[in-house]
Amino acid sequence: MQRSFSLASQLVKRRGFSTNSEKIVASVLFERLPVVIPKIDPVVYAFQEFKFRWQQQYRRRYPDELLDKANARGKGDYQIDYVPAPRITEADKTNDRKSLQRALDRRLYLLLYGASIGAPDKKPVWHFPEKAYETEETLRKCAESALESVLGGLSHTYFVGNAPMAHMVVPPTETAQVPSLKRFFFKSQVIATNKFNIGKCEDFVWVTKDELMEYFPDQAEFFKKMIIS
């Protein structure tokens, strides 16, 4: 344990992660992937329709006897009538941002409302799951601890890679005595569930990329570049 701590300390010093007046924070971009296939753009649909009709001109002509046999397959006792599930859910109609059963064709991201590291005057603000780096062996371990403290476990999560996807340097403010900090973002994804017991916050929401910008107007440009979806 002592050796691991010394290695982590050397890593922090070598990579320039921190100074005496600077904090290191690991934040987690926790996302739910699309549940249904997004609707095709009209331009893309028109091109695919044109491509299909063009290929039909040069398709191979099969005998009618063979086509009749192919059409007869699937008929009988084992035929199943397919009824697609609705794309618009009740959570969409009521704009319930606490539910994962909404915006099924979009990615959703978890935001928390409460005390945040580096917030001026320690007022509650919207933020991602986060934790200040302490004695963890790696920054990813720190990010895992941040998400685990909010969800109560990591059994339905998957961290994408060991390295952060982006980082932000937050300078100290003139009005509040808050030291500068470096915030490193890690990506994690929802696995095999549609509900979490979110804790350690006053409120939470699951929002799309466009909705997320409403909560961070000052950092909108940064998050537009960081989140590619």
Side-chain angles (χ1 to χ4, degrees):
M1 180 64 69
Q2 185 176 0
R3 183 180 179 184
S4 299
F5 175 73
S6 62
L7 288 175
S9 301
Q10 293 175 10
L11 181 64
V12 169
K13 294 179 181 178
R14 187 180 307 166
R15 296 186 178 180
F17 280 167
S18 177
T19 62
N20 293 333
S21 61
E22 192 174 55
K23 277 189 175 182
I24 299 300
V25 179
S27 296
V28 182
L29 185 71
F30 192 41
E31 67 175 357
R32 187 221 64 189
L33 297 176
V35 179
V36 299
I37 299 176
K39 290 184 177 180
I40 302 177
D41 185 271
V43 176
V44 177
Y45 179 81
F47 172 76
Q48 291 180 346
E49 183 72 13
F50 165 77
K51 181 181 178 181
F52 173 77
R53 293 182 180 278
W54 180 266
Q55 291 176 341
Q56 287 295 99
Q57 302 178 56
Y58 305 101
R59 67 183 179 90
R60 178 179 296 180
R61 180 69 181 177
Y62 291 97
D64 294 336
E65 296 80 7
L66 182 61
L67 295 178
D68 292 339
K69 291 181 180 180
N71 293 332
R73 291 180 180 178
K75 295 182 180 180
D77 297 337
Y78 300 99
Q79 186 176 359
I80 299 175
D81 294 329
Y82 171 72
V83 179
R87 301 176 67 93
I88 305 299
T89 65
E90 190 63 30
D92 286 312
K93 298 176 182 178
T94 60
N95 194 27
D96 182 9
R97 297 191 176 185
K98 292 182 180 294
S99 173
L100 278 170
Q101 297 297 313
R102 60 180 292 267
L104 300 182
D105 60 344
R106 304 285 301 279
R107 296 171 186 249
L108 292 181
Y109 304 94
L110 175 64
L111 296 181
L112 309 176
Y113 183 77
S116 176
I117 303 171
D121 302 327
K122 297 183 179 180
K123 293 182 179 180
V125 295
W126 288 102
H127 62 280
F128 298 95
E130 63 182 11
K131 184 182 182 300
Y133 175 80
E134 295 176 349
T135 60
E136 292 85 0
E137 185 176 358
T138 63
L139 274 177
R140 169 168 164 167
K141 292 290 186 182
C142 184
E144 290 176 354
S145 298
L147 189 58
E148 185 175 10
S149 66
V150 173
L151 305 180
L154 299 177
S155 57
H156 292 288
T157 67
Y158 171 73
F159 273 81
V160 183
N162 294 316
M165 60 184 297
H167 88 285
M168 172 191 296
V169 179
V170 182
T173 59
E174 298 179 358
T175 58
Q177 299 296 326
V178 179
S180 62
L181 58 88
K182 289 182 180 179
R183 189 181 300 277
F184 292 84
F185 292 89
F186 289 80
K187 178 183 285 190
S188 183
Q189 297 174 341
V190 176
I191 299 296
T193 188
N194 55 20
K195 188 176 182 180
F196 287 98
N197 294 321
I198 309 295
K200 203 178 178 181
C201 63
E202 298 180 22
D203 199 2
F204 70 91
V205 290
W206 291 95
V207 294
T208 64
K209 178 181 178 179
D210 296 334
E211 295 169 344
L212 186 144
M213 304 307 163
E214 302 172 6
Y215 297 84
F216 302 99
D218 296 335
Q219 294 86 24
E221 288 301 319
F222 173 82
F223 288 121
K224 285 181 182 178
K225 296 178 181 178
M226 184 184 79
I227 303 174
I228 303 176
S229 62

